[in-house]
Amino acid sequence: MSTAGTDAAFQDLARRRWRIAIVLTIVMVALYFGFILLVAYNKPLLGRLVSPGLSLGVLFGALVIVLSWITTWIYVRWANVHYDPALHALRSGDHK
Amino acid sequence: MIALQAPVEQATRIGEPNAVAMAFFFGFISITLGITWWAARRTRTTEEFYAAGRTITAGQNGFALAGDYMSAASFLGIAGLVSTTGFDGLIYSTGWLVGWPVVLFLIAEPLRNLGKYTFADVVASRLKQTPVRIAAAIGTLATVTFYLIAQMVGAGGLIRLMFGLNYETAIMIVGAAMLAYVLFGGMIATTWVQIVKAVLLLGGAAVLALMVLSKFGFNPVKLFAAAAAQYGDGVLAPGRLVSKPLDAVSLGMALMFGTAGLPHILMRFYTVPDAQTARKSVFYATGLIGFFYLMTFVLGFGAMVLVGPDAIKAVDAGGNMAAPLLAETLGGTPFLGFIAAVAFATILAVVAGLTLSGAAALSHDLWVNVARGGHATPGEQLRVARFATVVLAVVAVMLGITFKGQNVAYMVGLAFAIAASANFPALVLSIFWRRCTTAGVVASMVIGTAATLTLIYLSPTIQIDILKHASAPFPLRNPALITIPLSFAIAIVVSLVTSNVGEQAAWARVEREMHTGH
């Protein structure tokens, strides 16, 4: 059974994980709905050409995909480097 | 300015029996049935049947998730939309990817730690089993049914166009092959079918994209410029596909939050050994799926420039044959045959994944946990699971024949709306919110499903396009804008009214379990 001390430490770790998860979720929602709202309400802006053949719309669309990669990478990186070892330490504490 | 000859009007061989397509198709069937035979000898327990014995690695599951997710709607549908409407098709390319980070951040790890076979395991973990599982099965089966209709209708149409077979025969072939995979090979065979299909689809699309880019100095911007030069700068800007702003927002919501409520995707997280592997597998899947959707930019505009919207629409009014036509233009009949076989394998694999998740809802949630109160022998569980698979295969074939001629991409959009409104709010709240109650999540899942189906029925697509009425009572084509907030609101309000001290007391245990897995 876990002790009160490891429970507090665990609560703290769980809170940190949710904070990061929720912040990253909000970032993704903001990015994607930013894009969708531009599609819905500002078509001329997205039609503006950055260079011949490259409109802001196509550029932003590709950027949304690339930024999805980056946010998932940030999360996985954080979880592998900080979350897993902390969780492991707490769990081995449990079994003592 | 780039010199470009207008697309040459040429006779397409689509619709004629194609020897190469047949050869690739039978090759794929033989390989996957071989896998099924191998998997069948390793499928003796329920855990092996539903969850591949939890031995799938992160890389394998990444490919399998991508395989389950990239349906014919992605490959044929997006290429078709982009080639005929330009930029607007790309709304789907981005929308179908952005759900994956949400799955990673909010769902994948708790799901793996709290559940066994279905997402209902998670929702029911500290609530009353019977009502939660019945409600979750309703949401699951509604989602799976709409998704299956879309895939079966797509398969029938595709095979008719590709091989010259008639529609009903095509549907039966899909049903029979899928039944063999799932019935005998369970999740092990289904997973490997997804992996083989994902490799074929990514490989085929990459070769096709490279062949397109080779004509434009390997610079996608030159390709887009050629499209704009030929059909006007308008093809690079938002246009007529989503004419009403709120339609765009509603569709966007369905695509973003639907992924996290798709039963056949959620089920994949149980095939890996632990939460850490589940997390890594979503990372790989996001990479693969994003790469694929970036290629759809090239395939769509490539088909627009090299084949031409008119030639594409002449073969199929919905534009669904854009990618195969592009393959024929660039690589002749043999390459057309290869891409046709890839598209067919794509549908077959998705249908298998859907059927397995539907069978899990019927047998694991409804039979074992509701009808038998959790006390069924392993042998009985496996028998019921296989019986449910047969039932679903028969239903899928009948639905495919009944709904002949429906719009495929639209049906998938509706399946996403149901998943996002019926399953996603209950799943998220049960993971995040200590105070949610049995009554709250059950009301959310049941009313979420019912409201989504009702609003779909009242939408312009059913009322004006299909029933030919003058107007529709509900203005949006996709109901997610209303039904997702509604479903969340119902869960929250009902939970607050029916506040339950016992269910809150179990929260500490569940919270620990969702992070540590025990």
Side-chain angles (χ1 to χ4, degrees), chain A residues 7 10-11 18 21 24-25 32-33 35 41 43 47 52-53 55 57 61 64-65 69 75 79-80 83-84 87 91 94, chain B residues 87 94-95 97-98 105 109-110 221 224-225 236-237 239 242 245 253 276 279 283 286-287 291 432 511-512 515-516 518:
Chain A
D7 249 7
F10 169 75
Q11 291 282 340
W18 285 137
L24 286 171
T25 304
Y32 178 60
F33 283 99
F35 176 67
Y41 293 103
K43 290 177 188 181
S55 67
V64 168
I65 292 182
W69 281 339
Y75 175 75
N80 287 347
Y83 177 72
D84 285 345
L87 192 64
R91 273 156 118 179
D94 277 4
Chain B
F87 174 85
T94 53
L97 184 70
V98 292
F105 305 148
E109 294 166 69
V221 174
F224 304 151
L236 301 177
V242 275
M253 285 181 74
Q276 193 185 15
R279 175 203 307 148
F283 178 64
T286 310
F291 173 62
F432 275 89
E511 195 189 23
R512 194 168 185 90
H515 286 89
T516 62
H518 55 77

Side-chain angles (χ1 to χ4, degrees), chain B residues 213-445:
Chain B
L213 287 177
S214 72
K215 304 221 178 258
F216 300 91
F218 292 97
N219 181 353
V221 174
K222 277 190 190 164
L223 165 65
F224 304 151
Q230 233 171 310
Y231 300 100
D233 285 342
V235 297
L236 301 177
R240 62 193 171 85
L241 189 65
V242 275
S243 45
K244 277 189 282 180
L246 286 180
D247 266 334
V249 177
S250 196
L251 176 66
M253 285 181 74
L255 297 182
M256 182 161 205
F257 299 113
T259 307
L262 292 177
H264 64 304
I265 296 295
L266 298 176
M267 198 173 174
R268 291 234 148 268
F269 294 116
Y270 299 124
T271 66
V272 296
D274 52 33
Q276 193 185 15
T277 317
R279 175 203 307 148
K280 286 180 189 158
S281 69
V282 189
F283 178 64
Y284 293 131
T286 310
L288 293 170
I289 296 168
F291 173 62
F292 178 77
Y293 285 136
L294 282 178
M295 289 195 295
T296 60
F297 287 40
V298 173
L299 299 183
F301 282 111
M304 177 186 273
V305 174
L306 299 170
V307 183
D310 295 336
I312 293 167
K313 282 189 205 151
V315 175
D316 176 83
N320 288 323
M321 290 300 122
L325 279 166
L326 180 63
E328 190 180 32
T329 306
L330 291 169
T333 313
F335 198 49
L336 166 67
F338 173 69
I339 291 295
V342 167
F344 181 63
T346 291
I347 295 180
L348 193 49
V350 173
V351 170
L354 285 167
T355 303
L356 188 56
S357 67
L362 284 174
S363 57
H364 174 67
D365 289 333
L366 288 185
W367 179 259
V368 175
N369 280 297
V370 174
R372 306 280 285 168
H375 304 292
T377 64
E380 178 186 340
Q381 293 189 26
L382 207 51
R383 273 197 306 282
V384 175
R386 289 196 158 122
F387 178 72
T389 307
V390 176
V391 171
L392 277 167
V394 173
V395 170
V397 168
M398 286 179 359
L399 287 173
I401 293 173
T402 312
F403 285 87
K404 183 176 177 174
Q406 293 301 311
N407 181 313
V408 174
Y410 177 69
M411 297 294 281
V412 172
L414 296 183
F416 270 73
I418 300 172
S421 319
N423 307 339
F424 175 70
L427 184 56
V428 162
L429 288 176
S430 69
I431 289 173
F432 275 89
W433 194 38
R434 187 167 56 91
R435 304 186 62 178
C436 86
T437 64
T438 304
V441 296
V442 168
S444 162
M445 288 192 280

